[in-house]
Amino acid sequence: MSHQLSGEEQFSEIKEFLAKNWKIIVAVIVIGLLAFYGWRYWQSHKLAKTIESSDRYEQLIANLDKNNPDSINELVSFAESDDTIYSVFANLKAAKFYVEEIKDYPKAEKLLTDTLSKTDSEIIKSISYIRIAKIQYQLERYQDTLATLSKVTEKSWTPVVNDIRGDVYMKMNNYTEAVAAYTVALTPTPVDGSDENIVKASLPTEQLDENIKMKLNQAQYLKDKQQAEQEAEAAKEKAKQEAEAKKNAAQENKN
């Protein structure tokens, strides 16, 4: 007995299947079309929103004026309400404006902290952390500065991070750690290579390099001086203890 259906029988089965399931089939097709065109609409909407945000951002940057408080307030408001990458750029620009033009470090720190929650980019986060650390350094919050610097993940920023770290330790009179930080800042830092195992290196710029070398020399001098003073103080204390011990021993012998 043959298990193959004739053409007429196959057509009949297809008709029967469609008659029973046509609603489901139509629903799947409609959902698929809606998803496709909905996705295209959403992409088009996002592109239009990004272009609009770009234009607005450029306009606000062009209008920035330290003598006009409204200009910076408008940029900050834009950063708070916008949901594109330009809100991140606006935060960074506004924070820089607060630092360089208005000297309002707390507001700048708040804007930079807000930036961290608006992006997944490790590069932008590293830049934000470095700028936050510089503000904390200006505010003499040295432990906060060190904690913030430890969050920078981009190795290409190693020279800058350790330059700031060295400055912090100098302020804390910890010259040993300052020397260590400045030395790291001047040392080539391996960065993730390609599949061919090419090793790149992160080095400070020529100007930064010279600046760090000057600070390293100063830190080394102060470290040696501090160590010599500590050794002298330790020797003085030891001599004092030995003299006290001899005096006590003589007193006991006398008795």
Side-chain angles (χ1 to χ4, degrees):
M1 180 177 178
S2 173
H3 294 284
Q4 293 184 346
L5 300 176
S6 66
E8 187 176 340
E9 289 173 328
Q10 290 178 357
F11 181 70
S12 178
E13 286 197 359
I14 291 173
K15 284 178 62 179
E16 184 178 350
F17 173 80
L18 292 175
K20 292 180 179 179
N21 301 286
W22 70 271
K23 291 183 179 179
I24 297 175
I25 294 172
V26 170
V28 169
I29 293 173
V30 169
I31 292 172
L33 289 173
L34 287 174
F36 174 74
Y37 286 107
W39 178 83
R40 290 192 60 180
Y41 170 78
W42 174 242
Q43 291 298 106
S44 177
H45 173 73
K46 283 178 62 178
L47 178 60
K49 181 69 170 64
T50 301
I51 293 174
E52 180 185 344
S53 296
S54 174
D55 292 341
R56 180 58 177 159
Y57 171 76
E58 293 295 338
Q59 180 185 13
L60 292 170
I61 295 301
N63 292 337
L64 268 182
D65 182 358
K66 65 179 180 180
N67 297 317
N68 179 13
D70 288 341
S71 66
I72 185 64
N73 291 336
E74 288 178 358
L75 183 62
V76 172
S77 296
F78 168 78
E80 292 174 346
S81 62
D82 192 75
D83 60 357
T84 71
I85 188 62
Y86 289 97
S87 68
V88 174
F89 296 158
N91 260 355
L92 294 174
K93 185 65 177 180
K96 184 177 181 182
F97 190 84
Y98 274 122
V99 169
E100 296 179 352
E101 302 294 343
I102 306 179
K103 310 301 180 187
D104 191 334
Y105 300 116
K107 280 189 178 180
E109 183 179 5
K110 182 181 182 302
L111 287 170
L112 291 168
T113 302
D114 290 343
T115 300
L116 296 171
S117 64
K118 292 184 175 184
T119 179
D120 294 325
S121 169
E122 289 301 321
I123 294 176
I124 294 178
K125 284 187 175 182
S126 292
I127 292 172
S128 299
Y129 281 129
I130 288 171
R131 293 185 181 181
I132 291 171
K134 288 181 177 180
I135 290 171
Q136 292 169 337
Y137 175 80
Q138 289 292 330
L139 296 174
E140 299 183 357
R141 290 161 43 198
Y142 300 129
Q143 291 295 344
D144 288 343
T145 306
L146 294 174
T148 299
L149 290 173
S150 67
K151 298 175 183 178
V152 178
T153 58
E154 286 293 310
K155 292 183 179 180
S156 59
W157 289 103
T158 296
V160 174
V161 167
N162 282 281
D163 178 37
I164 301 171
R165 186 175 282 134
D167 292 348
V168 171
Y169 283 125
M170 287 288 282
K171 290 289 187 180
M172 297 171 70
N173 297 326
N174 189 338
Y175 304 120
T176 299
E177 291 296 338
V179 168
Y182 290 139
T183 301
V184 172
L186 294 169
T187 304
T189 306
V191 181
D192 294 339
S194 64
D195 293 338
E196 292 78 19
N197 295 320
I198 298 175
V199 178
K200 299 179 181 179
S202 171
L203 288 170
T205 62
E206 185 176 347
Q207 182 178 358
L208 180 59
D209 181 85
E210 291 300 320
N211 190 31
I212 295 174
K213 284 178 180 177
M214 290 176 58
K215 290 190 284 189
L216 174 58
N217 290 336
Q218 182 184 15
Q220 185 65 58
Y221 166 77
L222 292 172
K223 174 188 173 184
D224 294 342
K225 180 182 177 183
Q226 186 180 64
Q227 185 175 351
E229 290 174 348
Q230 289 172 347
E231 290 175 353
E233 186 65 29
K236 182 179 178 181
E237 183 64 25
K238 182 179 179 182
K240 180 180 177 181
Q241 291 174 355
E242 289 177 350
E244 189 69 27
K246 286 181 180 180
K247 180 180 178 182
N248 292 336
Q251 188 68 31
E252 289 177 3
N253 291 334
K254 194 174 183 180
N255 294 333

